[in-house]
């Protein structure tokens, strides 16, 4: 009898995910050294998740584990999200020099593209570790032996809400920045009237949606650590917190903060006094 949740197969998928992530970031590091730009790692962020999902899908298929519907749905969700993000970041960064964040990590004493323990410790290894943890629901979904259709539908709808917020928010921000007249101004229209970070909110929803699709079996619930970690980073570390620190000095930003929700979309002007 086929187990409802194959732990042995999950272990093999996890090993495959580790190998995939190591390979992805090793290739990225080689490209960074050749081009003198460590910012290429930002493109790998989306593509790495896609690679993990593809490998897990293929391996689970070879092992004949998991439900075909769930496996295919999760592969599609990750692929659409990751490819869009990689294309967007690649297009946004095309023709630019090194990202100031990575240049600051390398310091003035290092040649462009030099590999230091600092950039490895602060960029490559943390991103690789986070990618593995966040991918856990993807791996769990690949070894589920049955489909709980209502759960899958809820997860897909949540993913769709997130994808719309992230992709539309990114498009609105790109159009805003493309107008030279907006330099130094604050985007407060479109989705950006409802939340100061529609792209980060959308990113979180995408991964909560993928988790819900995978969570049709009680053992898969432990993979909640994936979307929890992603949400924490988006809200308190590399996303909202870092962005707002750099935006704080812009004229009108204080007023924008007072009237606009920091993360969860709320009607303009309805932000509670202590909301973040």
């Amino acid at each position: 009898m086929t187990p409802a949740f194959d732990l042995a197969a999950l272990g093999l998928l996890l090993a495959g995910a580790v190998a995939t992530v190591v390979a992805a970031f090793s290739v990225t590091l080689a490209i960074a050294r050749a081009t003198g730009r460590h910012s290429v790692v930002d493109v790998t962020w989306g593509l790495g998740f896609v690679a993990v999902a593809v490998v897990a899908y293929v391996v689970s298929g070879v092992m004949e584990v998991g439900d075909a519907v769930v496996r295919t749905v999760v592969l599609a969700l990750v692929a659409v999200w990751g490819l869009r993000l990689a294309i967007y970041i690649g297009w946004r960064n095309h023709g630019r020099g090194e990202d100031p964040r990575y240049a600051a990590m390398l310091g003035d004493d290092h040649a462009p593209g030099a590999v230091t323990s600092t950039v490895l410790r602060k960029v490559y290894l943390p991103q690789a570790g986070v990618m593995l943890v966040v991918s856990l629901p993807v791996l769990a979904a690949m070894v589920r032996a049955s489909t709980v259709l209502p759960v899958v539908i809820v997860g897909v709808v949540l993913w769709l809400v997130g994808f719309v917020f992230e992709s539309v928010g990114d498009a609105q921000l790109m159009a805003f920045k493309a107008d030279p007249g907006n330099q130094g101004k604050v985007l407060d229209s479109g989705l950006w009237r409802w939340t100061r970070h529609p792209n980060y909110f959308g990113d979180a929803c995408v991964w909560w949606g993928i988790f819900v699709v995978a969570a049709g079996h009680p053992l898969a619930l432990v993979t909640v650590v994936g979307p929890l970690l992603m949400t924490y980073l988006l809200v308190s570390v590399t996303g909202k917190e870092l962005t707002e620190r750099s935006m704080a000095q812009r004229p009108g930003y204080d007023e924008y903060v007072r009237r606009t929700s920091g993360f969860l979309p709320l009607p303009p002007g309805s932000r509670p006094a202590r909301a973040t």
Side-chain angles (χ1 to χ4, degrees), residues 16-17 21 38 93 99 102 121 128 130 137 163 177 183 186 191 224 232 237 255-256 261 263 272:
V21 170
H38 288 286
N93 293 347
D99 188 297
Y102 304 140
R121 186 177 72 254
V130 170
F163 186 76
K177 289 183 174 181
Q183 186 173 2
V186 177
L191 294 179
V224 71
Y232 169 71
V237 184
E255 175 59 29
Y256 176 60
S261 173
F263 196 72

Side-chain angles (χ1 to χ4, degrees), residues 96 103 204:
R96 296 184 179 181

